[in-house]
Amino acid sequence: MTHSELKKTPLASRCESAGGKMVDFHGWLLPVQFDGIIAEHKAVREAAGMFDVSHMGQIFVEGKDAWPFLQYINCNNIKNAPAAGTYSHILTEKGTIIDDAISFCLNPEKFLVVVNAACISEDFAWFQKQAANFNVSVRNESADWGMIAVQGPQALEKVSNLISDVPELPRFHIKEIELFGAKGYVTRTGYTGEDGVEIMLPAEKIGDLWDALLNVGVKPCGLGSRDVLRLEAGYLLNGADADQTRTPYEANCGWVVKLAKEDFVGKAALAAQKEQGLKQKLTAFVLKSPGVPRAECKVYSGAEEIGVLTSGTYSPLFKGIAVGYIPADVPVGSEVEIEIHGKRAKAEVVKTPFYKNRV
């Protein structure tokens, strides 16, 4: 697609004005970098950076059965205490991953579910289909909202200039706010391994927030640094590390599966897989020699090809890091080889996260 054919966030022109190098990301025009991936990585790890995440989706679930409905379509236990949020996986009947999403309780009969950009239409259609047996309404308001993620050890301090009580918001909680004359939401989650918040405002107001954050010294950051940061922190990239061919157990996220709760979509399949054991599992690697691993690179043990990478990058903290699917019984500490541009580089199997979260 040409840039003119891509979907644009409400912040696209501001990103371009700030020097963003714009690229196609799942049909969206988004900045891959501004000053450079390493500089932006440093800003988030040491100070504060902001990301245009307006392409992500907002689906509102409302009605008497809002919580039972979300319990049914999620494998995790969804919290129904006002302001609480829950990370979970939305599954097919086969137990494979449609999306990973966060459900925030606005009140016991109204939830905001933040979903991945590439999954908005599919998620919404799935929600509507599953809602048939529940007293609930489902609304896709994704086009109405803009969202900025502010991440880093100075993030809360910077945002406090605009939202004074934001440091009091607990992790994985949501708060309704009024900013620039509009109602919105602030959540405290993150995709970098640092503390921070996501601020959602109506699309026509999100530019005011961008300008205000620039004025207090928050550095614009792009997709390139976000990918390095999230991989260091051990977070999944939906559509690469997790998709409809993989279950939460295989994606090394068994902690989101609550088999003890009442029936949910995919429960029977996950229970069977847990009983039978895993054949493959998402596994982490650190290169022991120079090279930049990328998705689709093959993984070898001796002469045998044992798997393939789903994500890989150069990390300023660890050099070459990657994750991919290999046999589940390969222990941490094992040495493997990763084929990069036709040459094999030695790597060690390690635990995630590569970077230990401070939060």
Side-chain angles (χ1 to χ4, degrees):
M1 287 187 183
T2 65
H3 281 191
S4 62
E5 295 173 306
L6 296 172
K7 290 179 283 188
K8 295 178 175 63
T9 75
L11 292 171
S13 61
R14 277 177 166 83
C15 288
E16 290 180 300
S17 297
K21 180 182 177 183
M22 310 300 284
V23 299
D24 179 353
F25 181 77
H26 296 294
W28 288 88
L29 184 65
L30 288 168
V32 67
Q33 64 180 51
F34 292 86
D35 290 342
I37 292 173
I38 292 178
E40 293 161 29
H41 174 279
K42 180 181 174 68
V44 173
R45 286 283 177 249
E46 298 181 6
M50 63 176 171
F51 302 86
D52 176 14
V53 289
S54 303
H55 56 303
M56 295 186 70
Q58 289 82 19
I59 297 176
F60 286 83
V61 177
E62 196 165 2
K64 183 171 67 70
D65 290 344
W67 179 71
F69 167 73
L70 288 171
Q71 277 285 83
Y72 179 68
I73 65 168
N74 282 277
C75 60
N76 202 353
N77 272 318
I78 302 300
K79 296 174 183 174
N80 63 347
T86 312
Y87 173 84
S88 183
H89 291 177
I90 299 162
L91 308 177
T92 68
E93 296 286 359
K94 295 179 180 179
T96 58
I97 300 167
I98 297 173
D99 198 3
D100 59 340
I102 304 177
S103 298
F104 293 100
C105 179
L106 301 175
N107 65 60
E109 296 188 2
K110 184 177 181 181
F111 288 74
L112 166 57
V113 186
V114 179
V115 302
N116 283 296
C119 303
I120 294 171
S121 297
E122 186 173 11
D123 286 357
F124 184 53
W126 183 247
F127 281 30
Q128 288 181 306
K129 179 181 178 180
Q130 299 300 324
N133 297 320
F134 293 87
N135 183 0
V136 69
S137 69
V138 180
R139 303 190 314 277
N140 177 13
E141 295 190 6
S142 305
D144 301 331
W145 294 90
M147 181 160 63
I148 296 174
V150 188
Q151 296 281 292
Q154 296 176 15
L156 296 185
E157 175 190 340
K158 298 291 188 183
V159 174
S160 294
N161 289 280
L162 305 170
I163 308 167
S164 60
D165 57 352
V166 74
E168 299 164 21
L169 183 68
R171 288 281 297 169
F172 268 84
H173 278 64
I174 191 169
K175 176 181 173 64
E176 294 188 61
I177 58 170
E178 186 164 333
L179 203 57
F180 308 112
K183 293 187 183 299
Y185 301 98
V186 58
T187 61
R188 191 171 176 185
T189 66
Y191 194 53
T192 65
E194 300 296 341
D195 203 354
V197 297
E198 301 77 34
I199 305 169
M200 286 169 266
L201 288 175
E204 65 273 13
K205 293 291 185 178
I206 199 70
D208 294 332
L209 176 61
W210 177 273
D211 296 342
L213 291 168
L214 277 180
N215 288 337
V216 295
V218 181
K219 187 178 186 66
C221 299
L223 295 167
S225 60
R226 192 172 81 132
D227 192 53
V228 177
L229 293 158
R230 71 92 193 164
L231 187 53
E232 288 177 345
Y235 294 126
L236 296 178
L237 177 61
N238 187 270
D241 307 323
D243 58 27
Q244 292 188 35
T245 69
R246 301 293 182 181
T247 70
Y249 289 130
E250 291 170 328
N252 205 26
C253 288
W255 62 273
V256 303
V257 179
K258 301 298 189 289
L259 290 177
K261 75 172 187 174
E262 292 185 16
D263 194 27
F264 61 87
V265 177
K267 179 178 179 178
L270 292 181
Q273 186 178 63
K274 185 175 184 181
E275 183 176 345
Q276 293 164 7
L278 297 179
K279 294 179 180 178
Q280 288 193 321
K281 186 175 71 173
L282 190 67
T283 303
F285 311 93
V286 172
L287 259 60
K288 300 174 73 175
S289 54
V292 180
R294 297 294 186 192
E296 306 300 331
C297 288
K298 295 176 180 178
V299 183
Y300 290 86
S301 177
E304 182 186 3
E305 181 185 331
I306 61 169
V308 65
L309 300 186
T310 53
S311 289
T313 193
Y314 170 82
S315 160
L317 301 181
F318 305 98
K319 309 304 180 186
I321 61 173
V323 294
Y325 284 90
I326 64 171
D329 58 0
V330 177
V332 169
S334 299
E335 185 175 277
V336 297
E337 292 183 315
I338 296 173
E339 188 174 81
I340 305 171
H341 301 306
K343 296 181 180 180
R344 295 190 190 179
K346 293 186 184 302
E348 181 181 353
V349 174
V350 299
K351 289 184 178 180
T352 55
F354 300 96
Y355 172 84
K356 182 63 178 174
N357 295 17
R358 299 177 185 176
V359 291

